[in-house]
Every structure is written in C-alpha cells, then in structure tokens.
Amino acid sequence: MRKLLPAVALAVLVCAPGVLQGQVNIGAQASWGDNADFGFGGRLTARSPWVDQAIELSGAFDLFFPSASAGEDLSYWEVNLNLVYNIAVKSEVLLPYAGGGLNVAHASTTVASQNTSATEVGANLVGGLKFVVGSVTPFGEVRYELGGGEQFVLTGGLLFTVGSN
C-alpha cells in the first residue's frame, strides 16, 4: 500500500492538466441499495481531451444508512470508480451511458462495545441516462456490484459543469 499511494499521486499529477482541459462535472447524488438501504454522496466525472469524447471517468462516494438491530451501530460506505461510454443518440437532451469499473465497500458494526469492520473490493456494471440541460445535468443510474458491496443500486442526482470542453 505504501508503494501504491505515491504511484497514484504521480498519475494524478501527470493526468490532471489534461483532464482539466476536458469537461469536468461535480455533483450530489442520492442512492438506494437493495442491501444497504438509502444513502447520499458526491460524484465527479471527467472527459479527457486525449481520448474519444464519448469515454468518461466517473468517481463517486456514497454514505449509506442501513437498518440496524436494537443495540447495534452499523455504518456502510462505498467508493466507485467507473469508465463509461456515452452512447450517441439522436437527442440533444438525452444521453444514455454504460460501463463498468471498481467498487470498494466498507462496513463497520459495533455491538456491546465489540467493533467489527471489513473492506471488500469488487467490480461494477453501470448504465444510466443523463438529461443534458446546460450547465446542470440531472442523471439516473443503475449499478450492479459484482463483489465489494454485492448489491443492486439505484442512483439519481445533479451534476454541475466546472470545466469546458
């Protein structure tokens, strides 16, 4: 892990100027998972000028509030990093997309002062629809997690453009 962090930091520094010349969106989202109940979080998407403009990197964080038994304190969060392909259609407003990526899920439970936690890594399959209406883009997404969170998730939110194409 100690060797991985500097490599990731270097990759971000090298790639950031190019990504920032592309289109960057940041926003908020609400999610429902069939195992983790409701949650909310943030999302960052970016298109690089170096690759096909139909390809987009999408990162998200969700903090869920799963149901807990009496006397149990349960916390659950996920980080998702996906590569999606924006599917060309004959609409200027609707933009469907599909892709996949990485899911990191963390659960922590406290019962009678006994703490237990686990972090799992898995894969995502995602599909969604954006409603492009200027600098604000509402979206809806379905995500199926293969490993990691191992759940079906519905997400909706708003993205705000912070970079230009």
Side-chain angles (χ1 to χ4, degrees), residues 9-147:
L10 180 61
V12 168
L13 289 174
V14 168
C15 295
V19 169
L20 292 176
Q21 290 172 3
Q23 183 175 343
V24 176
N25 296 297
I26 190 166
Q29 62 188 33
S31 298
W32 173 84
D34 64 351
N35 289 332
D37 294 333
F38 290 96
F40 67 92
R43 179 174 292 229
L44 177 72
T45 66
R47 279 188 262 164
S48 173
W50 300 327
V51 295
D52 183 349
Q53 286 294 297
I55 297 174
E56 188 171 75
L57 183 64
S58 176
F61 173 82
D62 280 307
L63 177 63
F64 285 91
F65 300 95
S67 300
S69 304
E72 178 183 46
D73 182 24
L74 182 59
S75 66
Y76 181 78
W77 55 261
E78 291 185 354
V79 174
N80 294 284
L81 185 60
N82 297 302
L83 198 57
V84 299
Y85 181 78
N86 294 309
I87 301 164
V89 294
K90 292 184 179 184
S91 171
E92 293 182 17
V93 177
L94 300 177
L95 182 61
Y97 63 91
L102 183 67
N103 168 263
V104 178
H106 177 80
S108 176
T109 307
T110 303
V111 179
S113 300
Q114 187 79 344
N115 297 326
T116 307
S117 67
T119 302
E120 299 285 332
V121 177
N124 288 321
L125 296 176
V126 298
L129 186 61
K130 295 179 193 173
F131 304 92
V132 183
V133 288
S135 63
V136 177
T137 305
F139 70 92
E141 180 179 276
V142 295
R143 179 173 70 242
Y144 184 68
E145 300 170 356
L146 309 162

